[in-house]
Amino acid sequence: MRLGLNIDHIATLREARKIHEPDPLEAIFIAKNAGVDLITLHLREDRRHIHEDDVISILKHAPLPINAECAIDPEITKILCALKPFKVTLVPERRAEITTEGGLNLKHPKLQDTIKAYADCGIEVALFIDPSLENLQRALELGVGVVELHTGKFSNLFNTLYTSFKRHKNRLDLPEDNIALKNMLELSLQELAQSALKGQGMGLEVCAGHGLNYASVGLVAKLEGISELNIGHAIIARAVIMGLEKAIQSMQEAICAP
């Protein structure tokens, strides 16, 4: 199981003051020493955290492969095709969202051309999808070899049931009844499990991520067929308290826990 560290929220902290620190690049060397396998970052259209200068600096100096998340956007495509990260993961994006809210629209009219643009530059393309057989089949038709299953639904349900996140459930339009929530959580985990196995059987490399934390990650890490987890906010949040290296090590332990 590879671990990808999403460093967006190091840049979020920097942007709170619009200054030069903390520098996301510094975290990558700590991550490498702690055993992280790749770095994920999201170059958003609104540049709310990661900027082009970050991507340029990180690609020049980072000792780890870089997975660049991005929307289907001509300007971003042009930038990343020139910079050539190891992998590009295409994700949906809305200016008003707090964080990515779901999987990519696989019928987007510009999706096929965007995939081709990256592939022609020798960049591996992954699609960030909601777990379903239909989406896996569509990914195959589009000619990609990698998908990342969106675990946001699972994470929201888990957090609503088992953490202080309960106070946010009205925003998510979730039921009040814990039995109903548990049934929804079980179904969500089954959807992830089935999609991981089916994707692997189709010859796709299956990754997963979004909203996973120290308490919930073990359930997803145990699913057969998933080769990579991308996690950011939970690790960076804990790093504020205990330091990045220890936060990464704690996540690795949670992933590997029996």
Side-chain angles (χ1 to χ4, degrees):
M1 180 74 69
R2 296 191 304 273
L3 174 60
L5 173 65
N6 186 309
I7 59 172
D8 289 344
H9 294 300
I10 297 174
T12 298
L13 183 57
R14 177 194 65 196
E15 293 304 304
R17 284 292 184 92
K18 302 293 183 184
I19 55 173
H20 63 289
E21 58 184 3
D23 184 346
L25 176 61
E26 292 184 43
I28 297 176
F29 299 98
I30 297 171
K32 172 69 164 59
N33 291 336
V36 165
D37 298 288
L38 73 156
I39 297 296
T40 294
L41 50 80
H42 186 171
L43 183 63
R44 294 182 63 103
E45 293 173 287
D46 60 14
R47 308 300 197 272
R48 67 173 63 168
H49 37 58
I50 295 293
H51 295 181
E52 292 97 315
D53 288 348
D54 294 316
V55 184
I56 292 168
S57 176
I58 287 166
L59 286 173
K60 181 177 180 180
H61 299 291
L64 290 170
I66 304 301
N67 167 35
E69 296 178 338
C70 64
I72 301 169
D73 175 81
E75 178 195 359
I76 300 291
T77 301
K78 183 178 179 181
I79 291 169
L80 292 179
C81 279
L83 295 177
K84 292 183 169 55
F86 167 74
K87 178 169 72 173
V88 162
T89 300
L90 295 174
V91 303
E93 195 173 299
R94 284 195 317 115
R95 293 278 176 124
E97 69 189 2
I98 295 173
T99 184
T100 307
E101 297 171 334
L104 191 66
N105 173 15
L106 300 185
K107 296 181 180 179
H108 192 292
K110 295 181 180 178
L111 177 55
Q112 186 74 78
D113 288 343
T114 303
I115 292 170
K116 185 177 186 302
Y118 287 120
D120 287 349
C121 292
I123 301 169
E124 184 175 72
V125 180
L127 302 180
F128 191 63
I129 65 170
D130 290 319
S132 77
L133 177 59
E134 180 182 358
N135 287 337
L136 293 167
Q137 188 61 48
R138 177 60 177 157
L140 274 182
E141 293 169 358
L142 288 164
V144 302
V146 186
V147 294
E148 181 169 349
L149 301 179
H150 178 250
T151 57
K153 178 182 176 182
F154 162 82
S155 298
N156 285 336
L157 288 165
F158 185 96
N159 291 339
T160 300
L161 270 166
Y162 300 118
T163 76
S164 59
F165 188 75
K166 286 182 176 64
R167 65 181 180 273
H168 300 295
K169 66 181 175 184
N170 290 336
R171 177 174 61 83
L172 298 171
D173 195 27
L174 295 175
E176 295 288 335
D177 180 52
N178 278 354
I179 294 176
L181 286 169
K182 287 179 180 178
N183 289 336
M184 291 172 69
L185 178 64
E186 183 177 344
L187 180 60
S188 178
L189 191 60
Q190 288 175 0
E191 289 173 344
L192 289 167
Q194 291 167 1
S195 293
L197 276 176
K198 288 176 180 176
Q200 184 185 53
M202 292 175 174
L204 291 166
E205 180 180 4
V206 181
C207 310
H210 199 77
L212 298 174
N213 58 34
Y214 293 87
S216 64
V217 70
L219 292 173
V220 176
K222 290 180 176 67
L223 300 182
E224 186 178 347
I226 295 176
S227 60
E228 176 183 301
L229 295 176
N230 286 292
I231 304 172
H233 186 271
I235 295 175
I236 302 307
R238 184 163 290 193
V240 172
I241 306 300
M242 65 190 306
L244 183 57
E245 183 175 6
K246 289 183 179 179
I248 291 168
Q249 291 169 347
S250 292
M251 182 58 75
Q252 291 164 333
E253 291 167 3
I255 289 170
C256 297

